[in-house]
Amino acid sequence: MYGGGYIFEESKNGHSEEEDQIKLQKFEERIAAGEKIEPSDWMPAEYRKQLIRMIEQHAHSEIIGALPEGTWITRAPGFRRKLALMAKVQDEVGHAQLLYSAAETLGKPREQMINDLITGKSKYSNVFNYPAVTWADTAVIAWLIDAGAIINQVANSKGSYGPYCRALERICLEESFHLKYGHDNVVFLATGTSQQRQMVQDALIRWWPPIMHFFGPSDKISVHTETLMRWKVKMASNDDMRQKFLDMYVPKIWELGLTIPDPKLKKNNETGKWEYTEPDWEEFKRVINGDGPCNKERLAVRRRAEEKGEWVRNALLRPSEKYTVPLS
Amino acid sequence: MKQLTEIQTKALKDLICRIADDELILGHRNSEWTALVPILEEDIAFSSMAQDKIGHSLALYQLLNKLGEPDPDAIAFTRKEKDFKCCHLVEYPIGDYDFSLMRHFLFDKSEAIRFDLLSRSSFEDLANIAKKFRGELKYHTMHADTWLVQLGNATEESKARMQSALNQCFPLALGIFEPGEYDEVLSSENIFPGEKVLQGMWLDSIKIILDSANLSIPDIDTSDRSYGGRKGYHTEYLKPLLDEMTEVYSIDPNAEW
Ligand SMILES: [Fe+2]
Ligand SMILES: [Fe+2]
């Protein structure tokens, strides 16, 4: 899905002093000219490190993001929704696969990334540490979280690292179907029976704070990312993406007669910017550092899946007694 | 095909319902693996096959609808447990991946042969559906065969696991072929040659793969046969599955979801 609100590490010097200055200059010129960097090209160590971190976080977000919606596949009401949700969550797993592959081109094996995920060493998008309490939550997630993801990913697909950009182009195409599915789902609830309406309103109230958190801390307090922006690793500021999201989706939410739980939310016609209650960044930090409603559960599920599947992976690695060509 | 008699219609509906319920319940079970399969690539493959199964059940329920039954959502999401005609094999929880793979192998083999037989059915609507599904099933069985042979020949653990999964699944799989009330009508009208014929062909076809996988097939003559599902007697696992499946739908079955 998703990969909003990446956490970048503060770098001490922007880049290592030992980097070859001539190579660096050429590298930056290529990026400024809109060229893509490919796996075998020279790149600063800091660029590689931050990209691995970002793509890996994104991949983790896809696989962990499959969990809150995945638990609703077995409860989806009716064939149409059941089939659509199965396909959607399958897509998300596919996104994880694409992204792990993209990150692997930078030198970190998938096994190591997954290990860092289940030991809590690397992060994933904060939104997936919140529960999908009812069916309506899955509708809100598929519409608005995927919408946020698209804004983030379309921006990133114009970045500088070739394999990541190409993966994102395909991912964005699929995300746009998720968004349509989610929107259709929300429309049915919002225009349905009073009970359905209440369900989707409640879900929106629950999900609004995580949605506002989705793009990451406000520019005022987030780590300075000028170098990453120049290197086209980070493509848009958190606040700019949040503004874009609000611009595109708040009118659509209001159109459905739903209430957004922020009395301050309105567009300032002079500045053209949305004004809103500042999200609770302390909570954001608390949740990303492990203390959200579902962090433990999500990682436990992932860890259990890894442990339970170990014998299968081993059996693929060591066909000990007899090599067999797969049949047919 | 000429106008169906009352008994033929009954026989046909019973047959379609059995197949569709198997597809729905196994597709549902296999979908529980989504995002939890041991390998990402396999996760995607397993989900595709689960989606195919749910898609098959939908098409078959649509056919039932054409024969005078309620619409597919109503059939799938409002019937009581005793009205389901699925076999016990599909009802069991997913267990570990060995169990799920073995079930997938044993079931899909029967399914592929069944649709092959049905593609020559005198009931044209069913024959047409069967022809379409047959193509998809080819990939499902190819997938299952590849895994069986790989895991049956890999590590000590994988061999032992697959053998014990086979021992557990075999009596359940024999329940697929529980004789039906209308087998004679179905076969004399050339609608379907019958479960007995299917079982014979199935045994031949699983044997080839199980031999390559170095797994031994339990003796069919001394094996239990998990019958009852086709007549509405189910394992303890079906009711909770149906409760879960209909949890949202039943909030308001008249609402549009
Ligand atoms: Fe998505
Ligand atoms: Fe995705």
Side-chain angles (χ1 to χ4, degrees):
Chain A
M1 280 165 222
Y2 309 124
Y6 301 110
I7 300 303
F8 292 99
E9 198 172 67
E10 197 151 7
S11 68
K12 281 155 205 94
N13 324 314
H15 54 84
S16 157
E17 292 162 353
E18 294 137 46
E19 301 289 9
D20 185 330
Q21 285 304 315
I22 299 162
K23 280 184 183 159
L24 179 63
Q25 196 188 342
K26 217 176 143 223
F27 168 84
E28 293 196 340
E29 279 167 13
R30 284 183 64 194
I31 290 176
E35 277 181 53
K36 300 287 181 201
I37 305 300
E38 296 300 332
S40 53
D41 295 345
W42 182 90
M43 62 187 83
E46 182 64 17
Y47 176 83
R48 184 185 299 275
K49 186 176 143 196
Q50 296 285 3
L51 264 177
I52 290 176
R53 175 183 298 260
M54 179 169 80
I55 303 172
E56 183 183 348
Q57 278 178 26
H58 187 172
H60 295 333
S61 302
E62 301 281 354
I63 192 72
I64 294 288
L67 299 178
E69 286 177 289
T71 58
W72 285 92
I73 289 175
T74 55
R75 291 174 280 180
F79 276 102
R80 196 165 68 106
R81 297 295 183 211
K82 195 175 181 78
L83 283 165
L85 185 58
M86 284 169 85
K88 179 194 190 285
V89 182
Q90 178 193 33
D91 282 350
E92 308 299 4
V93 177
H95 298 169
Q97 191 230 335
L98 279 172
L99 291 162
Y100 283 124
S101 302
E104 279 189 316
T105 63
L106 292 157
K108 184 168 181 182
R110 190 201 286 183
E111 294 69 30
Q112 204 180 322
M113 292 187 261
I114 290 176
N115 200 46
D116 285 351
L117 168 67
I118 60 182
T119 54
K121 197 178 154 201
S122 58
K123 307 286 182 214
Y124 53 87
S125 184
N126 224 18
V127 283
F128 305 117
N129 290 319
Y130 293 86
V133 180
T134 70
W135 170 250
D137 294 59
T138 71
V140 170
I141 294 172
W143 183 29
L144 295 176
I145 301 293
D146 281 54
I150 291 174
I151 289 173
N152 183 283
Q153 291 167 8
V154 166
N156 281 351
S157 74
K158 301 188 174 67
S160 62
Y161 190 58
Y164 187 42
C165 297
R166 290 188 288 272
L168 284 177
E169 273 164 27
R170 179 164 152 199
I171 289 172
C172 286
L173 198 75
E174 292 182 351
E175 296 295 0
S176 64
F177 285 103
H178 300 174
L179 182 134
K180 273 190 199 137
Y181 157 79
H183 184 240
D184 184 69
N185 209 336
V186 170
V187 168
F188 266 68
L189 296 172
T191 59
T193 66
S194 59
Q195 200 179 4
Q196 286 175 309
R197 226 185 135 65
Q198 192 60 50
M199 277 171 80
V200 74
Q201 177 62 68
D202 291 346
L204 181 64
I205 290 172
R206 276 191 290 274
W207 280 86
W208 191 252
I211 286 169
M212 290 300 281
H213 282 151
F214 182 77
F215 298 98
S218 104
D219 297 344
K220 283 171 282 187
I221 59 168
S222 54
V223 172
H224 293 290
T225 51
E226 288 87 2
T227 312
L228 294 177
M229 292 258 216
R230 188 168 72 246
W231 285 349
K232 295 188 184 167
V233 171
K234 187 166 173 54
M235 294 300 293
S237 88
N238 296 352
D239 284 339
D240 286 351
M241 286 190 286
R242 196 163 13 248
Q243 283 291 332
K244 192 162 184 196
F245 173 84
L246 294 171
D247 228 22
M248 288 174 79
Y249 293 97
V250 170
K252 291 196 172 82
I253 296 168
W254 281 343
E255 216 171 82
L256 289 169
L258 296 170
T259 305
I260 295 171
D262 179 359
K264 284 197 192 152
L265 184 70
K266 68 167 183 357
K267 191 166 183 173
N268 181 328
N269 285 326
E270 276 166 35
T271 61
K273 298 268 185 212
W274 286 85
E275 292 166 2
Y276 47 81
T277 308
E278 192 60 31
D280 182 349
W281 297 116
E282 286 310 310
E283 177 182 331
F284 176 82
K285 263 187 244 164
R286 205 163 52 240
V287 176
I288 214 156
N289 287 321
D291 197 19
C294 299
N295 300 55
K296 287 190 186 69
E297 183 195 329
R298 299 277 186 254
L299 286 189
V301 169
R302 195 64 251 155
R303 201 175 299 128
R304 202 157 59 237
E306 290 301 318
E307 284 164 5
K308 278 181 79 173
E310 207 184 350
W311 70 273
V312 179
R313 292 189 297 277
N314 287 341
L316 293 186
L317 293 174
R318 281 182 265 125
S320 55
E321 292 184 11
K322 188 170 106 187
Y323 177 77
T324 40
V325 179
L327 286 184
S328 51
Chain B
M1 191 173 164
K2 57 190 188 301
Q3 191 70 31
L4 294 167
T5 64
E6 198 182 320
I7 182 85
Q8 286 166 357
T9 309
K10 265 193 177 162
L12 195 53
K13 281 188 185 175
D14 183 66
L15 175 70
I16 297 170
C17 185
R18 277 186 272 158
I19 308 172
D21 288 350
D22 277 356
E23 299 270 350
L24 174 67
I25 302 302
L26 188 53
H28 178 100
R29 277 294 183 219
N30 286 347
S31 79
E32 291 177 32
W33 274 108
T34 310
L36 302 174
V37 175
I39 299 156
L40 284 178
E41 287 75 4
E42 173 68 357
D43 204 299
I44 298 160
F46 216 63
S47 169
S48 286
M49 293 185 292
Q51 289 172 56
D52 283 346
K53 286 204 169 16
I54 304 280
H56 295 169
S57 72
L58 173 59
L60 291 163
Y61 290 136
Q62 276 161 346
L63 195 50
L64 280 181
N65 181 233
K66 237 173 125 178
L67 292 167
E69 295 297 314
D71 70 80
D73 278 347
I75 299 178
F77 290 84
T78 63
R79 261 182 314 160
K80 297 269 175 293
E81 180 201 0
K82 67 171 175 33
D83 298 324
F84 275 78
K85 292 178 177 165
C86 49
C87 65
H88 295 169
L89 176 70
V90 299
E91 298 169 9
Y92 271 64
I94 57 174
D96 275 349
Y97 210 55
D98 42 15
F99 178 84
S100 280
L101 264 180
M102 185 56 76
R103 166 162 67 182
H104 159 57
F105 167 74
L106 296 173
F107 182 83
D108 284 36
K109 281 283 188 200
S110 80
E111 197 191 6
I113 302 167
R114 186 188 291 277
F115 284 130
D116 201 36
L117 292 170
L118 286 172
S119 71
R120 294 186 288 277
S121 173
S122 62
F123 185 56
E124 234 175 85
D125 285 349
L126 188 54
N128 289 337
I129 286 183
K131 278 180 206 149
K132 198 173 149 252
F133 293 173
R134 213 170 38 168
E136 291 174 9
L137 260 304
K138 204 170 71 191
Y139 294 99
H140 296 197
T141 53
M142 199 191 290
H143 171 270
D145 294 354
T146 308
W147 271 104
L148 262 275
V149 174
Q150 175 69 30
L151 294 178
N153 289 295
T155 64
E156 284 310 317
E157 183 179 8
S158 72
K159 285 187 238 179
R161 276 176 172 271
M162 294 316 283
Q163 183 63 55
S164 85
L166 175 59
N167 298 346
Q168 192 192 352
C169 286
F170 193 71
L172 296 169
L174 290 175
I176 299 173
F177 315 104
E178 177 178 350
E181 211 180 314
Y182 304 100
D183 280 355
E184 242 163 70
V185 186
L186 291 170
S187 97
S188 68
E189 293 298 323
N190 292 319
I191 295 172
F192 177 63
E195 300 297 332
K196 211 170 167 192
V197 174
L198 177 58
Q199 179 179 300
M201 294 171 77
W202 173 78
L203 277 170
D204 291 342
S205 108
I206 60 168
K207 196 172 178 311
I208 301 170
I209 303 302
L210 291 172
D211 284 348
S212 312
N214 278 314
L215 298 171
S216 36
I217 310 184
D219 181 5
I220 186 162
D221 297 322
T222 59
S223 182
D224 282 338
R225 293 160 195 239
S226 203
Y227 285 170
R230 305 305 189 196
K231 297 191 173 63
Y233 301 105
H234 295 287
T235 64
E236 62 192 295
Y237 306 116
L238 183 62
K239 176 76 168 44
L241 180 152
L242 295 175
D243 288 345
E244 185 176 332
M245 188 170 83
T246 58
E247 184 188 306
V248 179
Y249 192 89
S250 64
I251 291 174
D252 186 348
N254 296 316
E256 280 200 75
W257 294 94

